[in-house]
Amino acid sequence: MPDRYAVIGNPVSHSKSPVIHAAFARATEQDLAYQAILAPLGRFGATVEAFRVAGGKGANVTLPFKLEAFDLATETTERARAAHAVNTLSFEAGAVRGENTDGVGLMRDIETNLGVEIAGKRVLVMGAGGAARGVLGPLLERRPAALTLANRTPDKAIELARCFSRHGPVVGGGYEALGPHRFDIVVNATAASLAGDLPPLPTSLFGAGALAYDMMYGSGPTLFLQWAREQGVTRLADGLGMLVEQAAESFFLWRAVRPETAPVIAMLRAG
Ligand code: NDP
């Protein structure tokens, strides 16, 4: 019997995680099965428990359950505690371990896959939801010159910046405060692209040679990446690399084997 893993979310049928983990398992010759499980809203805990009792060894957690997963875990890592969100659960004798691999995923995509150094850079993160929470700690660990957090609801960005201020220089606010500032790395961690929307950004946002990164991914460039290109930005990336890298980190946690990510990113790009 293969070891069983799953991604649990709502909705979840669009998730690429089963394809990614199946590719990792083939490449590393791990005997495992990975499925997508739809958890009804309000039934996340019961869904996790049913999977665990049925022999599940671990699960990825996606929208909208990352905060519930944090509360459900009986043990959490420092990264998960800093993010206050969990995207990877491991079931071990009587314990449910919670980890957050989103930050590692973004760091590997920016630094290793895209070859962009974060240290000393002026970084802007747009959004103050679960995705932003997961990446602020790892970004600050790289010692950027400054980290700015902008959000549609400014108070959330201000509060989040306050929570992370002991990790490094971070300020939060609304989009109107971006005014004259220029950035070397701009990460869109909002759900705006999902709604075909764009945060209200000044056209002077990007410094020379800037990277525009949208955590969202799809069949074509997101609205944010299209807009960045119109502003003259040539380094553009969507969140597919981050998705595969965070999955690889989960796989490593569960199996103690690190899969190669480049072939899987290429496979997904090829459709
Ligand atoms: P949340 O729902 O937790 O947060 C959404 C954020 O987007 C909030 O800050 C919200 O602002 C902002 N927002 C929503 N709509 C708009 C809009 N029209 N204009 C401006 N801001 C808006 O979502 P997550 O943080 O979990 O996810 C954010 C994005 O990141 C999603 O697109 C998701 O798919 C992607 N993601 C990608 C991953 C990857 O591996 N590539 C991993 C995790 C997430 P407000 O606070 O004002 O409501």
Side-chain angles (χ1 to χ4, degrees):
M1 269 280 275
D3 289 341
R4 291 180 61 198
Y5 297 88
V7 55
I8 301 176
N10 186 337
V12 78
S13 59
H14 67 287
S15 173
K16 294 188 192 298
S17 293
V19 174
I20 294 171
H21 282 276
F24 288 163
R26 270 195 310 277
T28 58
E29 299 183 343
Q30 293 287 304
D31 188 19
L32 62 85
Y34 189 107
Q35 65 186 119
I37 297 178
L38 178 73
L41 297 178
R43 301 269 308 151
F44 173 70
T47 305
V48 171
E49 185 55 14
F51 181 60
R52 196 185 65 77
V53 167
K57 298 273 187 211
N60 285 127
V61 179
T62 188
L63 276 170
F65 298 124
K66 290 184 188 181
L67 297 185
E68 281 184 64
F70 177 81
D71 291 336
L72 181 140
T74 56
E75 291 169 22
T76 49
T77 62
E78 197 179 330
R79 288 192 299 208
R81 286 194 295 278
H84 210 87
V86 155
N87 76 337
T88 308
L89 295 170
S90 306
F91 308 128
E92 289 154 22
V96 178
R97 288 176 57 82
E99 170 62 298
N100 189 311
T101 65
D102 282 339
V104 178
L106 179 67
M107 296 308 105
R108 292 231 172 92
D109 201 31
I110 291 181
E111 295 177 325
T112 309
N113 300 342
L114 301 169
V116 174
E117 205 182 325
I118 296 165
K121 300 284 173 60
R122 299 162 296 179
V123 180
L124 169 65
V125 173
M126 303 188 286
R133 279 186 164 278
V135 303
L136 291 184
L139 275 171
L140 285 166
E141 275 171 26
R142 266 68 184 175
R143 308 228 164 274
L147 178 56
T148 303
L149 195 53
N151 193 44
R152 179 174 64 180
T153 311
D155 284 353
K156 279 203 219 167
I158 293 167
E159 173 57 17
L160 202 50
R162 200 189 55 74
C163 292
F164 280 87
S165 58
R166 66 188 171 88
H167 297 259
V170 51
V171 291
Y175 290 102
E176 69 291 342
L178 296 177
H181 299 286
R182 285 178 184 266
F183 299 92
D184 306 305
I185 299 173
V186 178
V187 177
N188 185 12
T190 73
S193 294
L194 271 177
D197 205 357
L198 190 66
L201 299 168
T203 52
S204 57
L205 192 69
F206 298 102
L211 168 70
Y213 193 105
D214 200 330
M215 284 194 189
M216 211 191 111
Y217 48 85
S219 47
T222 66
L223 204 57
F224 169 63
L225 294 181
Q226 289 174 38
W227 178 82
R229 185 181 287 153
E230 285 162 20
Q231 309 312 311
V233 177
T234 53
R235 285 168 131 175
L236 305 157
D238 69 14
L240 190 70
M242 174 179 171
L243 178 78
V244 174
E245 295 296 344
Q246 62 78 28
E249 186 69 13
S250 298
F251 193 91
F252 177 70
L253 284 172
W254 292 328
R255 311 298 299 183
V257 176
R258 195 170 285 290
E260 272 193 64
T261 50
V264 179
I265 295 173
M267 175 190 81
L268 293 174
R269 289 259 180 246

mmCIF file of all heavy atoms in Angstrom, residues 69-81 85-86 88-100:
data_model
loop_
_atom_site.group_PDB
_atom_site.id
_atom_site.type_symbol
_atom_site.label_atom_id
_atom_site.label_comp_id
_atom_site.label_asym_id
_atom_site.label_seq_id
_atom_site.Cartn_x
_atom_site.Cartn_y
_atom_site.Cartn_z
ATOM 1 N N ALA A 69 -5.554 25.468 9.891
ATOM 2 C CA ALA A 69 -4.525 24.422 9.988
ATOM 3 C C ALA A 69 -3.514 24.783 11.071
ATOM 4 O O ALA A 69 -3.017 23.903 11.785
ATOM 5 C CB ALA A 69 -3.833 24.245 8.639
ATOM 6 N N PHE A 70 -3.229 26.063 11.192
ATOM 7 C CA PHE A 70 -2.309 26.502 12.248
ATOM 8 C C PHE A 70 -2.908 26.179 13.614
ATOM 9 O O PHE A 70 -2.220 25.664 14.512
ATOM 10 C CB PHE A 70 -2.044 28.010 12.115
ATOM 11 C CG PHE A 70 -1.166 28.548 13.197
ATOM 12 C CD1 PHE A 70 0.215 28.402 13.127
ATOM 13 C CD2 PHE A 70 -1.708 29.181 14.306
ATOM 14 C CE1 PHE A 70 1.036 28.879 14.138
ATOM 15 C CE2 PHE A 70 -0.894 29.662 15.318
ATOM 16 C CZ PHE A 70 0.477 29.510 15.237
ATOM 17 N N ASP A 71 -4.201 26.470 13.781
ATOM 18 C CA ASP A 71 -4.864 26.211 15.071
ATOM 19 C C ASP A 71 -4.972 24.714 15.363
ATOM 20 O O ASP A 71 -4.930 24.287 16.514
ATOM 21 C CB ASP A 71 -6.268 26.837 15.074
ATOM 22 C CG ASP A 71 -6.200 28.356 15.091
ATOM 23 O OD1 ASP A 71 -5.168 28.890 15.541
ATOM 24 O OD2 ASP A 71 -7.158 29.004 14.629
ATOM 25 N N LEU A 72 -5.121 23.927 14.285
ATOM 26 C CA LEU A 72 -5.317 22.486 14.458
ATOM 27 C C LEU A 72 -4.020 21.753 14.829
ATOM 28 O O LEU A 72 -4.040 20.746 15.541
ATOM 29 C CB LEU A 72 -5.881 21.944 13.147
ATOM 30 C CG LEU A 72 -6.206 20.472 13.017
ATOM 31 C CD1 LEU A 72 -7.508 20.321 12.226
ATOM 32 C CD2 LEU A 72 -5.105 19.713 12.316
ATOM 33 N N ALA A 73 -2.889 22.261 14.337
ATOM 34 C CA ALA A 73 -1.610 21.576 14.571
ATOM 35 C C ALA A 73 -1.295 21.520 16.061
ATOM 36 O O ALA A 73 -1.505 22.493 16.788
ATOM 37 C CB ALA A 73 -0.495 22.303 13.827
ATOM 38 N N THR A 74 -0.776 20.371 16.506
ATOM 39 C CA THR A 74 -0.411 20.249 17.919
ATOM 40 C C THR A 74 1.029 20.709 18.148
ATOM 41 O O THR A 74 1.432 20.981 19.268
ATOM 42 C CB THR A 74 -0.563 18.796 18.401
ATOM 43 O OG1 THR A 74 0.231 17.951 17.552
ATOM 44 C CG2 THR A 74 -2.011 18.347 18.349
ATOM 45 N N GLU A 75 1.815 20.748 17.063
ATOM 46 C CA GLU A 75 3.181 21.281 17.129
ATOM 47 C C GLU A 75 3.375 22.145 15.892
ATOM 48 O O GLU A 75 2.953 21.763 14.815
ATOM 49 C CB GLU A 75 4.219 20.148 17.050
ATOM 50 C CG GLU A 75 4.272 19.260 18.245
ATOM 51 C CD GLU A 75 5.133 18.029 17.969
ATOM 52 O OE1 GLU A 75 5.988 18.059 17.072
ATOM 53 O OE2 GLU A 75 4.900 17.036 18.670
ATOM 54 N N THR A 76 4.021 23.297 16.068
ATOM 55 C CA THR A 76 4.274 24.154 14.904
ATOM 56 C C THR A 76 5.745 24.563 14.886
ATOM 57 O O THR A 76 6.380 24.663 15.934
ATOM 58 C CB THR A 76 3.417 25.441 14.943
ATOM 59 O OG1 THR A 76 3.541 26.026 16.239
ATOM 60 C CG2 THR A 76 1.969 25.166 14.624
ATOM 61 N N THR A 77 6.251 24.807 13.687
ATOM 62 C CA THR A 77 7.631 25.273 13.558
ATOM 63 C C THR A 77 7.663 26.784 13.772
ATOM 64 O O THR A 77 6.629 27.456 13.726
ATOM 65 C CB THR A 77 8.166 24.980 12.151
ATOM 66 O OG1 THR A 77 7.357 25.704 11.228
ATOM 67 C CG2 THR A 77 8.126 23.496 11.837
ATOM 68 N N GLU A 78 8.880 27.317 13.913
ATOM 69 C CA GLU A 78 9.009 28.757 14.105
ATOM 70 C C GLU A 78 8.482 29.512 12.883
ATOM 71 O O GLU A 78 7.838 30.549 13.004
ATOM 72 C CB GLU A 78 10.475 29.099 14.369
ATOM 73 C CG GLU A 78 10.597 30.476 14.975
ATOM 74 C CD GLU A 78 12.023 30.843 15.262
ATOM 75 O OE1 GLU A 78 12.835 29.955 15.541
ATOM 76 O OE2 GLU A 78 12.308 32.053 15.203
ATOM 77 N N ARG A 79 8.778 28.961 11.672
ATOM 78 C CA ARG A 79 8.298 29.621 10.445
ATOM 79 C C ARG A 79 6.775 29.698 10.436
ATOM 80 O O ARG A 79 6.192 30.693 10.047
ATOM 81 C CB ARG A 79 8.762 28.842 9.202
ATOM 82 C CG ARG A 79 10.234 28.984 8.927
ATOM 83 C CD ARG A 79 10.596 28.460 7.560
ATOM 84 N NE ARG A 79 10.316 27.045 7.371
ATOM 85 C CZ ARG A 79 10.984 26.264 6.530
ATOM 86 N NH1 ARG A 79 11.939 26.738 5.791
ATOM 87 N NH2 ARG A 79 10.680 24.994 6.399
ATOM 88 N N ALA A 80 6.123 28.609 10.869
ATOM 89 C CA ALA A 80 4.660 28.596 10.885
ATOM 90 C C ALA A 80 4.126 29.580 11.920
ATOM 91 O O ALA A 80 3.147 30.291 11.677
ATOM 92 C CB ALA A 80 4.153 27.183 11.186
ATOM 93 N N ARG A 81 4.816 29.648 13.062
ATOM 94 C CA ARG A 81 4.357 30.569 14.112
ATOM 95 C C ARG A 81 4.514 32.012 13.672
ATOM 96 O O ARG A 81 3.655 32.851 13.918
ATOM 97 C CB ARG A 81 5.119 30.308 15.417
ATOM 98 C CG ARG A 81 4.671 29.039 16.125
ATOM 99 C CD ARG A 81 5.183 28.989 17.558
ATOM 100 N NE ARG A 81 6.631 28.893 17.624
ATOM 101 C CZ ARG A 81 7.327 27.763 17.499
ATOM 102 N NH1 ARG A 81 6.695 26.627 17.300
ATOM 103 N NH2 ARG A 81 8.645 27.761 17.584
ATOM 104 N N ALA A 85 0.273 30.762 10.030
ATOM 105 C CA ALA A 85 -0.446 30.037 8.968
ATOM 106 C C ALA A 85 0.338 28.775 8.638
ATOM 107 O O ALA A 85 1.563 28.781 8.681
ATOM 108 C CB ALA A 85 -0.561 30.911 7.718
ATOM 109 N N VAL A 86 -0.382 27.698 8.334
ATOM 110 C CA VAL A 86 0.240 26.397 8.048
ATOM 111 C C VAL A 86 -0.241 25.899 6.684
ATOM 112 O O VAL A 86 -1.440 25.928 6.404
ATOM 113 C CB VAL A 86 -0.137 25.386 9.174
ATOM 114 C CG1 VAL A 86 -0.077 23.955 8.688
ATOM 115 C CG2 VAL A 86 0.769 25.591 10.390
ATOM 116 N N THR A 88 1.430 22.909 5.466
ATOM 117 C CA THR A 88 1.885 21.514 5.411
ATOM 118 C C THR A 88 1.672 20.856 6.776
ATOM 119 O O THR A 88 2.197 21.342 7.789
ATOM 120 C CB THR A 88 3.396 21.451 5.061
ATOM 121 O OG1 THR A 88 3.628 22.213 3.885
ATOM 122 C CG2 THR A 88 3.842 20.022 4.837
ATOM 123 N N LEU A 89 0.912 19.773 6.774
ATOM 124 C CA LEU A 89 0.679 19.007 8.006
ATOM 125 C C LEU A 89 1.357 17.646 7.869
ATOM 126 O O LEU A 89 1.288 17.026 6.800
ATOM 127 C CB LEU A 89 -0.821 18.788 8.236
ATOM 128 C CG LEU A 89 -1.679 20.024 8.506
ATOM 129 C CD1 LEU A 89 -3.168 19.656 8.468
ATOM 130 C CD2 LEU A 89 -1.327 20.651 9.858
ATOM 131 N N SER A 90 1.995 17.196 8.946
ATOM 132 C CA SER A 90 2.572 15.850 8.978
ATOM 133 C C SER A 90 1.954 15.128 10.166
ATOM 134 O O SER A 90 1.935 15.673 11.275
ATOM 135 C CB SER A 90 4.091 15.916 9.177
ATOM 136 O OG SER A 90 4.689 16.735 8.210
ATOM 137 N N PHE A 91 1.461 13.934 9.920
ATOM 138 C CA PHE A 91 0.815 13.161 10.995
ATOM 139 C C PHE A 91 1.807 12.158 11.549
ATOM 140 O O PHE A 91 2.286 11.277 10.834
ATOM 141 C CB PHE A 91 -0.421 12.444 10.451
ATOM 142 C CG PHE A 91 -1.371 13.363 9.731
ATOM 143 C CD1 PHE A 91 -1.818 13.062 8.446
ATOM 144 C CD2 PHE A 91 -1.809 14.542 10.320
ATOM 145 C CE1 PHE A 91 -2.681 13.908 7.774
ATOM 146 C CE2 PHE A 91 -2.680 15.400 9.649
ATOM 147 C CZ PHE A 91 -3.104 15.079 8.375
ATOM 148 N N GLU A 92 2.127 12.321 12.809
ATOM 149 C CA GLU A 92 3.080 11.413 13.454
ATOM 150 C C GLU A 92 2.457 10.955 14.758
ATOM 151 O O GLU A 92 1.693 11.713 15.355
ATOM 152 C CB GLU A 92 4.403 12.151 13.737
ATOM 153 C CG GLU A 92 5.183 12.444 12.475
ATOM 154 C CD GLU A 92 6.103 13.651 12.624
ATOM 155 O OE1 GLU A 92 6.451 13.990 13.756
ATOM 156 O OE2 GLU A 92 6.439 14.238 11.592
ATOM 157 N N ALA A 93 2.814 9.754 15.197
ATOM 158 C CA ALA A 93 2.253 9.147 16.405
ATOM 159 C C ALA A 93 1.634 10.166 17.371
ATOM 160 O O ALA A 93 2.326 10.733 18.213
ATOM 161 C CB ALA A 93 3.366 8.380 17.115
ATOM 162 N N GLY A 94 0.358 10.369 17.220
ATOM 163 C CA GLY A 94 -0.374 11.208 18.168
ATOM 164 C C GLY A 94 -0.176 12.698 17.981
ATOM 165 O O GLY A 94 -0.813 13.493 18.675
ATOM 166 N N ALA A 95 0.709 13.132 17.077
ATOM 167 C CA ALA A 95 0.978 14.563 16.897
ATOM 168 C C ALA A 95 0.650 15.001 15.473
ATOM 169 O O ALA A 95 0.723 14.214 14.537
ATOM 170 C CB ALA A 95 2.440 14.854 17.193
ATOM 171 N N VAL A 96 0.244 16.251 15.349
ATOM 172 C CA VAL A 96 0.035 16.846 14.026
ATOM 173 C C VAL A 96 0.999 18.023 13.931
ATOM 174 O O VAL A 96 0.842 19.032 14.626
ATOM 175 C CB VAL A 96 -1.424 17.338 13.852
ATOM 176 C CG1 VAL A 96 -1.611 17.989 12.486
ATOM 177 C CG2 VAL A 96 -2.408 16.188 14.043
ATOM 178 N N ARG A 97 2.042 17.846 13.106
ATOM 179 C CA ARG A 97 3.050 18.905 12.963
ATOM 180 C C ARG A 97 2.653 19.868 11.863
ATOM 181 O O ARG A 97 2.274 19.450 10.777
ATOM 182 C CB ARG A 97 4.419 18.313 12.630
ATOM 183 C CG ARG A 97 5.073 17.601 13.797
ATOM 184 C CD ARG A 97 6.379 16.963 13.368
ATOM 185 N NE ARG A 97 7.309 17.950 12.808
ATOM 186 C CZ ARG A 97 8.088 18.735 13.544
ATOM 187 N NH1 ARG A 97 8.054 18.659 14.855
ATOM 188 N NH2 ARG A 97 8.909 19.588 12.970
ATOM 189 N N GLY A 98 2.757 21.175 12.143
ATOM 190 C CA GLY A 98 2.382 22.193 11.162
ATOM 191 C C GLY A 98 3.578 23.016 10.721
ATOM 192 O O GLY A 98 4.346 23.494 11.555
ATOM 193 N N GLU A 99 3.742 23.176 9.410
ATOM 194 C CA GLU A 99 4.864 23.949 8.861
ATOM 195 C C GLU A 99 4.324 24.869 7.767
ATOM 196 O O GLU A 99 3.230 24.635 7.211
ATOM 197 C CB GLU A 99 5.913 22.967 8.295
ATOM 198 C CG GLU A 99 7.029 23.561 7.469
ATOM 199 C CD GLU A 99 7.917 24.540 8.241
ATOM 200 O OE1 GLU A 99 7.386 25.580 8.698
ATOM 201 O OE2 GLU A 99 9.130 24.276 8.362
ATOM 202 N N ASN A 100 5.068 25.916 7.470
ATOM 203 C CA ASN A 100 4.692 26.798 6.359
ATOM 204 C C ASN A 100 5.850 26.817 5.367
ATOM 205 O O ASN A 100 6.937 27.291 5.695
ATOM 206 C CB ASN A 100 4.396 28.210 6.870
ATOM 207 C CG ASN A 100 3.807 29.075 5.772
ATOM 208 O OD1 ASN A 100 4.336 29.126 4.665
ATOM 209 N ND2 ASN A 100 2.703 29.723 6.069
#
